[in-house]
Amino acid sequence: MQASCEVLASVFLAIRPLVRPGVTTGELDAEIEKLIRDAGCVPSFKGYHGFPASACISVNEEVVHGIPGPRELKDGDIVGIDIGLIKDGWHADSAETIAVGTPSAEAEKLLTVTRECLELGINAIAPGRRLSVIGTAIEAHARQAGFSVVESLVGHGIGRDLHEDPQVPNFRCFTMPDPVMVEGLVIAIEPMINAGTKRVVTARDEWTVVTADRRLSAHFEHTVAVTADGPRILTRRGAGVAAF
Ligand code: MG
Ligand code: MG
């Protein structure tokens, strides 16, 4: 899984400089698919339950599962890019939200806080702890910033399949199983943080999830292994603390 996740990290590093005003989400998706296939990997989202593209690209009030197409990005947009791939049968899954040009103060704060939420959720991981420490850490940080956590979509185990048990909520959840984390467990942690209401709706395309109040949403995701030494971020974007 480290090998598949390293390919995915390299795809993100190659895509970041292309995210600028005037590029279409469809052009980004085409480049992402080419990078994945050139690395000998398979884009896991393409065809998943009929999803038509290799990346989910979600702009501004779109939370996740946006379908790439002719939409041109413009200065001030925030664009969430979520990519999955398979290498030698092992899945990798990661997402980040990128500002196009100069973001508003609110957008910039939302990106910073959502990234911090992911980092805090990951840092809560240790073998022997319950899974719920992740969502508790994420929700506390989002709320103190005045933002809300999407509850209807959650993170997940990952390995031979894209979505495996356990589900990994990004909030204090009292209805899902709360297993103890063990060494070797690999999970995708993916907080979706909204500037306004936590409520979301599905758009007419039956894929794109949108905030109910149409305010901004951000999404960051890493595939993370639970090790004896604590969390290991398999989709880390290179070496060093700045590569988160
Ligand atoms: Mg993902
Ligand atoms: Mg995921």
Side-chain angles (χ1 to χ4, degrees):
M1 290 193 74
Q2 178 71 78
S4 64
C5 288
E6 277 176 11
V7 173
L8 183 49
S10 73
V11 170
F12 274 100
L13 291 175
I15 283 298
R16 277 180 188 167
L18 307 181
V19 178
R20 48 179 189 241
V23 73
T24 70
T25 57
E27 287 165 350
L28 291 176
D29 179 65
E31 186 61 28
I32 288 163
E33 178 163 359
K34 183 175 184 305
L35 288 162
I36 292 171
R37 294 200 189 276
D38 285 353
C41 302
V42 176
S44 54
F45 295 176
K46 196 156 204 177
Y48 187 84
H49 293 286
F51 189 77
S54 295
C56 296
I57 303 186
S58 311
V59 184
N60 296 336
E61 76 281 4
E62 297 173 354
V63 180
V64 286
H65 304 166
I67 300 174
R71 179 175 186 163
E72 271 186 25
L73 298 179
K74 58 182 200 310
D75 187 57
D77 283 342
I78 58 169
V79 56
I81 301 178
D82 190 354
I83 309 172
L85 63 77
I86 310 164
K87 178 179 170 60
D88 301 328
W90 294 102
H91 283 260
D93 186 7
S94 185
E96 59 187 58
T97 302
I98 301 169
V100 182
T102 310
S104 67
E106 180 181 62
E108 191 153 30
K109 181 182 173 193
L110 182 64
L111 296 188
T112 300
V113 168
T114 307
R115 181 188 285 269
E116 289 168 348
C117 281
L118 175 56
E119 200 160 13
L120 290 165
I122 291 170
N123 289 343
I125 290 174
R129 285 193 185 164
R130 296 230 173 239
L131 193 73
S132 56
V133 296
I134 298 169
T136 300
I138 290 170
E139 181 173 12
H141 190 59
R143 287 171 83 111
Q144 63 80 28
F147 297 143
S148 67
V149 179
V150 174
E151 296 183 357
S152 54
L153 296 146
V154 297
H156 49 92
I158 178 169
R160 287 290 187 185
D161 290 308
L162 174 57
H163 295 127
E164 299 181 352
D165 285 339
Q167 292 193 294
V168 184
N170 300 300
F171 59 100
R172 288 186 71 211
C173 178
F174 301 100
T175 56
M176 288 181 199
D178 188 15
V180 170
M181 292 182 275
V182 297
E183 251 184 276
L185 174 69
V186 183
I187 50 180
I189 305 174
E190 49 179 314
M192 288 147 266
I193 306 298
N194 293 351
T197 179
K198 69 183 179 185
R199 288 194 310 115
V200 297
V201 295
T202 303
R204 264 192 295 265
D205 64 16
E206 295 184 356
W207 276 106
T208 313
V209 176
V210 179
T211 55
D213 59 7
R214 303 301 191 268
R215 289 181 66 187
L216 295 175
S217 184
H219 178 216
F220 284 84
E221 177 181 26
H222 272 308
T223 296
V224 182
V226 179
T227 77
D229 303 325
R232 192 202 297 182
I233 303 172
L234 301 181
T235 44
R236 182 181 276 285
R237 313 291 192 242
V241 286
F244 182 75

